[in-house]
Amino acid sequence: MRRRRLKRRSFLVRSSAVLGTGCLATRPGGATAPKERPRAKHPPHPVVVASANGFPHCTARVMEELLGGSEVADAVVAGVTLVEDDPSDHSVGLGGLPNEEGVVELDASVMDGATGLAGAVAALRGIKNPSQVALRVMRYTDHALLVGEGARRFARAHGFPEQELLTDEARKIWLYWKSTLSDQDDWLPPDPAELPPRAKEMFGITGTINCDAVDGQGNLAGVTTTSGLAFKIPGRVGDSPLVGAGLFVDNEVGAAGSTGRGEANIVTCGSATVVEGLRQGKAPVDACLMACRRIVEATRVARLRRPDGRPDFDVKFYAVDKGGRFGGAAIWSGGRFAVHDGKGNRLEDMAYLFES
Ligand code: GLY
């Protein structure tokens, strides 16, 4: 199968009546849509896609696992475990930003195409690898989602150690956030010299890692794992652990996942939408753009829209199909995604609807 050229050049502009906002679909790779070809039954080489924070270590690890013969679900979980273990990523696992009370609560889901099973955990406290717990929910229970205290007890029963997930750096960012909430309370701003760099940029982040892969036999799996919205109300669950929203896999078609504002993705079943686009024969980048457009169309309340009517948040989608085609798209420009295929491990520009 030939791949489209991925160099940025002129862009395809499509008219759209979406909210009267002039939805601009911009895709890396060419001024005209490529002719759709019948989906291949399996790719010539395994392919891994991930959000940008999966580059380079997560994608490299997944490829290594796949080439070593691991099942796809095990491979993607092994990859995101590296990011969950990294305290410098404040959107996932250890070092993730906490809820408004300073407690880290993690969400994750895994879906396996070959078996059609999924497992997920939400609002899990004290366990740094929710993706591994989600994999065990999938394999060792008859359920698809465990939450809160039940998820923690399940993880403990499976031997996962409990630990404090709030790192010193994340705690300082949280304390800073608390001090900005009101000038009528007693929380004063910290000494700026003690603040981690770019602390303020972390307010309200919904960073996450999603990773999806297809092996050489055409078997697919995906995983999405996150600490969720920074400083959320305790118990808030985002899209990441919700199958159909933050992740969806169909072994006949493809795998997709998302990062960004979970609430917007939950109400549009974003990842399921991407996979339905693939089922219709769309290229992954176009299926991802379709899910972005759905979100734009569904964003009707003024508090979520900018003065020009466009969403004041971003959601990004990542997809790989059974034949190894891959792509990523976001509502807003500037995003990149990680890919590892037979030709190397790299970051690529995402397609988008609107120029930032
Ligand atoms: N997409 C991550 C979240 O909203 O929790």
Side-chain angles (χ1 to χ4, degrees), residues 91 107 205-209 224-230 232 236-241 246 258-266 314-315:
S91 70
D107 298 339
I205 63 162
T206 46
T208 296
I209 181 164
T224 305
T225 174
T226 188
S227 51
L229 175 67
K232 59 196 170 188
R236 178 265 187 189
V237 170
D239 56 332
S240 305
S258 68
T259 59
R261 181 179 157 79
E263 283 74 6
N265 197 23
I266 290 170
D314 201 12
V315 178

Side-chain angles (χ1 to χ4, degrees), residues 12-256:
L12 174 67
V13 179
R14 294 179 183 146
S15 63
S16 167
V18 177
L19 294 172
T21 54
C23 211
L24 173 76
T26 304
R27 35 183 300 160
T32 54
K35 273 208 177 96
E36 302 300 351
R37 295 188 176 83
R39 217 170 20 244
K41 290 220 175 342
H42 58 79
H45 194 279
V47 178
V48 186
V49 292
S51 44
N53 53 350
F55 177 80
H57 303 300
C58 166
T59 40
R61 177 67 190 272
V62 179
M63 184 57 77
E64 193 183 298
E65 292 280 335
L66 291 175
L67 294 176
S70 293
E71 284 188 24
V72 196
D74 291 303
V76 291
V77 168
V80 298
T81 292
L82 299 176
V83 184
E84 290 175 337
D85 287 348
D86 176 2
S88 71
D89 189 319
H90 292 306
S91 70
V92 180
L94 177 69
L97 290 178
N99 66 22
E100 66 181 12
E101 293 171 354
V103 180
V104 179
E105 291 183 339
L106 304 178
D107 298 339
S109 62
V110 180
M111 191 162 182
D112 175 49
T115 58
L117 294 175
V121 290
L124 174 65
R125 298 181 173 194
I127 310 283
K128 75 178 164 63
N129 297 117
S131 65
Q132 293 181 14
V133 184
L135 189 64
R136 284 181 171 260
V137 171
M138 183 181 91
R139 290 207 173 127
Y140 302 112
T141 77
D142 191 31
H143 305 317
L145 172 62
L146 296 179
V147 305
E149 179 59 12
R152 191 194 64 80
R153 287 192 195 173
F154 172 82
R156 293 291 294 132
H158 276 263
F160 288 88
E162 249 179 296
Q163 66 184 94
E164 176 57 77
L165 301 181
L166 186 67
T167 58
D168 217 33
E169 187 165 286
R171 183 181 55 75
K172 286 177 181 166
I173 297 169
W174 166 68
L175 271 180
Y176 177 37
W177 170 79
K178 271 179 87 69
S179 75
T180 63
L181 292 184
S182 168
D183 56 9
Q184 306 295 308
D185 66 20
D186 299 328
W187 293 88
L188 301 180
D191 179 349
E194 284 200 0
L195 271 180
R198 304 195 323 279
K200 191 151 194 184
E201 288 168 33
M202 311 256 176
F203 289 13
I205 63 162
T206 46
T208 296
I209 181 164
N210 164 250
C211 181
D212 312 290
V214 60
D215 70 11
Q217 287 71 52
N219 287 312
L220 291 133
V223 59
T224 305
T225 174
T226 188
S227 51
L229 175 67
F231 320 130
K232 59 196 170 188
I233 294 174
R236 178 265 187 189
V237 170
D239 56 332
S240 305
L242 302 183
V243 170
L247 179 69
F248 196 67
V249 180
D250 181 327
N251 221 42
E252 294 304 308
V253 180

